Amino acid sequence: MKEIELDEPYSIPYRAIYAICDETDECAEIIEHSNCYGGAAWARHHYSHSPIVRQVRTLGNMTRYLVKTGNIPLELKPSSAAAGIEAVEVKDNEVAITYAGLGGGGVGATRCRAQAAGVVRSETTPSGGGRAAKGTIVVPKRKRVLIGIDDTDTKETGATWCLTHNIAKELDCAESVYLSHSLVQLFPVSAKTQNCVSTVLEFGCVDERAQNALLENIRSALEKYSVSKDTGMVVLDSFNASSIKEYSRLCRSAELTYEFAMEYAENHGVDVWMDGKGVIGALAALPWFARPDDSVIMDAELP
């Protein structure tokens, strides 16, 4: 028989918690990277009823809460409304997130989240048993940075989705966190290698310096490892990439020209970091960040 020694038997720290803010700080996306899917699923159900929560989605072991910033006190009720997000407040370069919960939900609202990577500081009340508990964590304010990439391979060798993920994984750090990777099915044009798929990477960056370093490193890695002369890399720092949705729809339904893609990028605030013909597909990938289940379906539509 194996004797188990648990340092904290009644706490499961979240792996990491991040906050992405829109351009006005009126909306934010709280991204929780859990170590226990069961606990995260319970929280998702209860937190979805919080007044400031507008939408909840799960991506792998991450739960993503789209919230309206502000503070609305919760009326906690056992079993039916046992936990939630009470406040998300932005000040300078930080975001304060306040959680509340009853019983085990209070443990999740306090100790479990306070111990997550990315938390700068925290304040919590005692939790566990039948108590109501409240906790506030402070995390860096981040901006969403989207990188569309296509045509790093040839008909003989390579796979863009592999290369992009491996580069992103190597560059994941506290200042620029790697959040998601989506393969985006495109219209099967004649110049395709095989499956006609591009990729979008999603990062959360704390400032311009971190963003520029990230992008320079991605471009350098693509120049080193790409086996195609047509590699395209485009960048958009946007909360929702709504300005590119129409282009993506067109690219997924017909063959577009390089000239049209370059003009569209220029007119819609997208920076071209590598200007090969892959820009056509790279640009179309941008709005599909964090939607890998839908982006592989040709007739799927963006919300």
Side-chain angles (χ1 to χ4, degrees), residues 14-265:
Y14 271 68
R15 193 172 304 179
I17 299 177
Y18 312 113
I20 307 290
C21 295
D22 72 356
E23 292 77 8
T24 63
D25 291 340
E26 294 180 357
C27 290
E29 188 172 32
I30 307 305
I31 302 174
E32 299 184 341
H33 195 173
S34 75
N35 272 313
C36 173
Y37 184 83
W42 185 94
R44 182 179 69 243
H45 169 71
H46 287 272
Y47 287 19
S48 67
H49 303 301
S50 302
I52 67 171
V53 173
R54 296 292 182 263
Q55 183 188 77
V56 185
R57 294 194 301 119
T58 298
L59 181 62
N61 58 3
M62 285 187 176
T63 305
R64 306 171 73 114
Y65 297 95
L66 179 65
V67 304
K68 182 174 177 60
T69 56
N71 186 335
I72 302 179
L74 299 174
E75 295 183 17
L76 299 176
K77 300 177 182 179
S79 301
S80 61
I85 301 176
E86 186 167 279
V88 175
E89 298 170 297
V90 182
K91 184 176 181 181
D92 298 326
N93 295 318
E94 295 182 330
V95 180
I97 310 164
T98 299
Y99 304 86
L102 298 173
V107 176
T110 57
R111 296 202 302 269
C112 294
R113 286 174 169 82
Q115 298 176 64
V119 174
V120 177
R121 58 187 180 276
S122 63
E123 293 183 7
T124 62
T125 64
S127 60
R131 286 178 289 197
K134 185 177 293 188
T136 297
I137 63 171
V138 177
V139 298
K141 173 185 171 182
R142 298 179 185 272
K143 177 169 61 174
R144 197 184 325 273
V145 179
L146 306 173
I147 305 103
I149 300 169
D150 200 10
D151 283 349
T152 68
D153 51 0
T154 67
K155 292 182 183 295
E156 292 74 33
T157 187
T160 296
W161 72 274
C162 289
L163 176 59
T164 52
H165 170 73
N166 288 332
I167 291 172
K169 188 177 178 181
E170 286 296 313
L171 296 176
D172 181 29
C173 63
E175 293 76 22
S176 296
V177 295
Y178 175 29
L179 296 174
S180 73
H181 171 286
S182 295
L183 281 70
V184 182
Q185 183 63 56
L186 305 174
F187 184 81
V189 300
S190 56
K192 68 184 179 72
T193 51
Q194 191 62 261
N195 294 315
C196 207
V197 171
S198 59
T199 301
V200 56
L201 303 173
E202 177 196 15
F203 279 81
C205 298
V206 297
D207 54 30
E208 293 294 330
R209 181 199 61 77
Q211 177 177 332
N212 289 334
L214 169 71
L215 298 177
E216 291 284 359
N217 287 331
I218 291 177
R219 180 170 61 183
S220 176
L222 289 174
E223 291 172 342
K224 179 177 181 179
Y225 291 106
S226 176
V227 293
S228 169
K229 296 180 180 179
D230 293 323
T231 302
M233 171 184 168
V234 298
V235 177
L236 178 67
D237 49 12
S238 170
F239 191 68
N240 57 27
S242 59
S243 63
I244 315 300
K245 289 182 180 180
E246 177 59 18
Y247 174 89
S248 185
R249 185 190 68 79
L250 293 173
C251 195
R252 284 159 60 86
S253 59
E255 186 166 351
L256 304 181
T257 66
Y258 174 77
E259 290 74 20
F260 177 73
M262 292 293 285
E263 181 180 0
Y264 199 100

